[in-house]
Amino acid sequence: KLWSAEIPNMYTLVLLLADKNDDTKIHQVESCRVGFRTVEIEDGCVMVNNQRIMVCGVNRHEHDPDQGKVVSLERTKQDIEILKQNNFNAIRTCHYPNDPSFYRLCDYYGIYVCDEANIETH
């Protein structure tokens, strides 16, 4: 099943590094969550999995109203849950990379992310 903002299907990918002469001898194991989707621009429309999408998003600075620049995982999760409850499906980040947990939460909850490249010239 494909990933979308409406139905964010995710799978666990497991990679094993085994000895080439003895595949029962495992050197390393890594895993991560992944989703599958296609994204295309067609006649000026953004298409995800061959379906036209309406982007309804917000601009986000990593800032906590109580703790300032220290944003906890719980606050980040709360922010994303509030956005989903209010039918937002996209976030544009601001000026710097966010904590990796932010991106994992966006994958889990079904949020499109436009990650700013910080290439402003002003």
Side-chain angles (χ1 to χ4, degrees), residues 6-80:
E6 294 79 20
I7 305 172
N9 293 305
M10 300 288 292
Y11 302 90
T12 301
L13 171 69
V14 179
L15 296 173
L16 302 167
L17 179 61
D19 190 293
K20 78 176 193 176
N21 298 320
D22 179 5
D23 62 359
T24 63
K25 185 176 181 183
I26 306 299
H27 296 287
Q28 186 174 347
V29 178
E30 296 290 335
S31 70
C32 65
R33 300 288 288 163
V34 298
F36 301 96
R37 68 174 182 216
T38 61
V39 179
E40 301 172 285
I41 306 286
E42 188 175 297
D43 297 324
C45 297
V46 178
M47 309 287 285
V48 175
N49 305 326
N50 297 316
Q51 299 291 318
R52 182 178 168 183
I53 66 165
M54 174 73 70
V55 176
C56 184
V58 297
N59 195 44
R60 179 180 183 269
H61 283 270
E62 267 198 328
H63 183 83
D64 186 288
D66 300 317
Q67 303 298 321
K69 294 184 180 185
V70 178
V71 182
S72 68
L73 178 62
E74 294 77 25
R75 178 70 76 176
T76 301
K77 183 178 176 183
Q78 181 185 35
D79 287 349
I80 291 171

Side-chain angles (χ1 to χ4, degrees), residues 86-117:
N86 287 281
N87 296 315
F88 287 93
N89 64 1
I91 295 174
R92 176 187 174 268
T93 63
C94 297
H95 310 302
Y96 44 82
N98 283 252
D99 186 87
S101 62
F102 165 77
Y103 302 102
R104 286 192 293 273
L105 286 168
C106 288
D107 285 342
Y108 178 79
Y109 282 97
I111 297 283
Y112 302 113
V113 177
C114 179
D115 215 5
E116 185 177 299

